[in-house]
Structure formats: C-alpha cells, structure tokens
Amino acid sequence: MAAPIEFWFDFSSPYGFLASTKIEALAARHGRTVDWRPTLLGVVFRAIGTAPLVEIPLKGDYSRRDFPRSASFHGVTGFRMPSKFPIPTQAAGRIFLCAKAGDAALGVRVAKALLAAYWVDDRDISNADIAASVAATAGFDRVRARAAVDDPVWKDALKREVEAGLACGVFGSPFVIADGEPVWGLDRLDQLEWHLARAPAATGRVLGATHLRLIVSDAQLGPAIAFYRDVLGLPLAVDVPGAYAEFATDGARVALCAEAVMGAVVGRPAPRSGDAVVVCLAVDDVDAACASARSRGATVVREPHDQPTWAQRVAHLRDPAGHLVELWARIPAPAA
C-alpha cells in the first residue's frame, strides 16, 4: 500500500466540503488512503496576511456565485450556503481529532457528518452542543464529544495540528499533500490525479522511522503516561485509555502501548519477555517490504495483516538482537 495522502480542510470551507466528497474515491483509484487533517482558516489567514474570500472586494461577490455552481458541477446534491457563514470551527476540529485518535475510521465518519450538517442541513457546528450531537449521529459518544471541546488536551492537539499544517505550507482548504507534492484547491484535483498517476509503483521501500513504541504492563501505563507528559513535558497527541498513548516530538513520536494490546497484534497472549521496545517503520507496501526482508534473511514474527481499528496494515519482524520491528502502512477507512 502506497503512502497516504494528507487532506487538509476547514469545516467552514465550501471548497473543502466539496473536495471531501471526492477525495477518497480519487485516492482509491491510485491505491492510496487519505489522512484527514483539520486546519483553521482564521489562523491561517492571519499568518499569511489575508482575509476570507467573501470579504475581499469583487472576489467576494464572485465566490458566492461560484460556491453553488461548483457544487452543481461536481454533482454534490443538497449543497446550500449556510445562514451563518463563515464560522469558527474549533469545536468541530477538536471533536474530530478526539474521535480520530481512538479510531481513524470513526474520525472520518464524524468529519463527514459535521461537514454535511453545516453545508447541507444548515446546522451551526460552531455551537459545541450541536457539534457533539452531530458527532453522535456518526457513532461517537456524545458526552465524550462535548467534553473534547473544552478539554485542554484537544485544544492543544488542534493548535498543534494547525501549526503543523502551516509548517508544511498549508495555506487554504482544501489542501492536499501527496508524496511531498502540495496541491491547493478543489479546481486542482485533476492535477492531483495526474500526479498520482505518474507516481512510481510501491515496492516495499521504507519511508521513515515514525514511532519508538514502548511496551508496558497495564499497571505501568498510567504512571508512564504521567512521566512523559508531566515530567518530560511531551505533548500528548493520542490517548486511548487503558491501551495506548502517543507523544509528539520534533522527530519520531514516542508511544506507550499496553502489553496485552501489543501481544494481540503480534499474535500471542502477550509479548515474550524482553519485548519492551518496538521500532515502527512506515513503508510504501507492507506485503512487499515483508517479502523483501524475508528474502534477505529476516525472521518474520507475524505475516502482513490488517489492523482495522488502527487503519493500518502491519507486519512484524525480529532483528538479530531480538528487537521487534513493525512495518506499517495506512489502509482505507471503511465506507460510511
């Protein structure tokens, strides 16, 4: 499986909404998955010194004609301009990131529900209660969704996500990054398709070291999270209570995984004694990478298989020193 493409969007972006209805099918045609990533256009516009399109003389009047026309052109039925536009989308963004952290497929369903609620049903998703209710229709616990809006963890997560987008050059919505190639705008999706069609086939190449995963007992997980978060000051990026946590750094992420969870993924009740560290390597094709490593003498602990709740395909090897090595790539989220 080739590397996923990054789909950056703002819930208050009409072109972002229209692109969201097309991006997964486009990616699938080229064997790609989509990593949905929210941004906040208000923050972006301040950073680059511009304003919302509808507030710019001449362009504003034109854009209000172009939004519904583009929806009709792309076959998106039900589109209508919301009665309140634009809106702040922090509530929607925090809820989405919280849902995505626990289940990538659920995150996509929540994002689609929130976008449709605003752009089709004219529901004001800047209201935290409304946004939480919409998320619940996609299968996310309403109480948890509402709590995420005011939780400092998800406030900080969204802030860091927007900052990461700016660092990658994201200045609008939709904004797609495929193999390092930036593509901005709904009207450039044809260029994205052209770019993907020209991309070399996946061969099992290692793309980079993404995580240092530390395996801990259930009893150790809470204290370990507190150590990395409170003592070392690492920002908590993913938190699946009782199972898994991830911390952002400027390089590879530091992850903590409960022993029973990792044991189930590897294919036994619990990792053998000594499996305290897992080196996680992103590859462009798990099956090809595993086959290549085997042909060169690597010991395969578990064959390539899908981990649907992770939205990943994975395989596990053991290096000569006995360390566990995970090869992984994104898999498509199930259709909503």
Side-chain angles (χ1 to χ4, degrees):
M1 181 71 67
I5 63 175
E6 296 179 22
F7 175 64
W8 293 85
F9 67 101
D10 186 304
F11 286 96
S12 187
S13 163
Y15 296 128
F17 165 62
L18 298 179
S20 76
T21 68
K22 303 172 67 68
I23 191 65
E24 289 187 317
L26 188 159
R29 288 196 291 272
H30 301 279
R32 301 297 185 100
T33 57
V34 180
D35 184 11
W36 291 57
R37 306 193 65 173
T39 188
L40 298 174
L41 287 181
V43 176
V44 171
F45 291 160
R46 286 194 296 273
I48 63 177
T50 188
L53 188 58
V54 292
E55 297 178 9
I56 299 175
L58 300 181
K59 286 186 177 181
D61 291 340
Y62 173 84
S63 66
R64 290 185 180 277
R65 296 174 66 95
D66 189 58
F67 298 153
R69 180 176 61 205
S70 294
S72 296
F73 177 80
H74 288 284
V76 179
T77 59
F79 175 90
R80 59 177 172 175
M81 285 302 297
S83 53
K84 184 179 179 181
F85 172 79
I87 59 171
T89 56
Q90 282 87 347
R94 293 166 190 164
I95 289 172
F96 164 68
L97 286 178
C98 183
K100 178 184 177 185
D103 183 338
L106 174 61
V108 174
R109 294 197 300 273
V110 167
K112 290 179 177 179
L114 288 164
L115 285 163
Y118 184 55
W119 291 105
V120 176
D121 300 328
D122 193 17
R123 301 188 69 185
D124 180 8
I125 58 172
S126 67
N127 180 298
D129 293 327
I130 292 176
S133 295
V134 171
T137 68
F140 192 38
D141 181 75
R142 188 192 182 285
V143 173
R144 189 177 174 200
R146 181 60 184 84
V149 178
D150 301 318
D151 190 332
V153 169
W154 300 111
K155 288 182 178 181
D156 185 61
L158 181 58
K159 179 176 181 289
R160 285 186 283 102
E161 188 81 342
V162 175
E163 291 172 348
L166 286 168
C168 293
V170 175
F171 59 83
S173 169
F175 199 102
V176 177
I177 301 176
D179 307 321
E181 185 73 14
V183 179
W184 170 52
L186 174 69
D187 55 349
R188 290 176 179 81
L189 289 185
D190 286 345
Q191 291 188 25
L192 172 63
E193 185 126 35
W194 170 79
H195 169 76
L196 293 174
R198 297 169 67 243
T203 60
R205 178 172 58 95
V206 174
L207 303 176
T210 59
H211 299 75
L212 175 65
R213 185 182 301 152
L214 308 178
I215 311 305
V216 299
S217 69
D218 290 349
Q220 293 171 327
L221 184 59
I225 290 174
F227 174 80
Y228 285 95
R229 181 190 60 208
D230 303 333
V231 177
L232 295 185
L234 295 182
L236 185 64
V238 176
D239 183 15
V240 182
Y244 184 80
E246 224 174 76
F247 300 87
T249 76
D250 289 338
R253 290 189 169 190
V254 175
L256 301 171
C257 186
E259 188 177 50
V261 173
M262 193 68 220
V265 173
V266 174
R268 55 179 179 272
R272 70 173 178 86
S273 177
D275 273 349
V277 178
V278 183
V279 178
C280 302
L281 302 176
V283 298
D284 61 7
D285 188 297
V286 172
D287 296 76
C290 186
S292 176
R294 190 203 310 272
S295 72
R296 298 175 184 177
T299 299
V300 178
V301 176
R302 189 174 183 191
E303 298 291 340
H305 62 284
D306 289 347
Q307 286 292 126
T309 58
W310 294 6
Q312 293 178 6
R313 185 165 180 78
V314 299
H316 292 89
L317 316 174
R318 196 174 297 286
D319 74 10
H323 301 116
L324 205 58
V325 178
E326 180 174 289
L327 309 176
W328 72 274
R330 294 287 181 196
I331 58 174

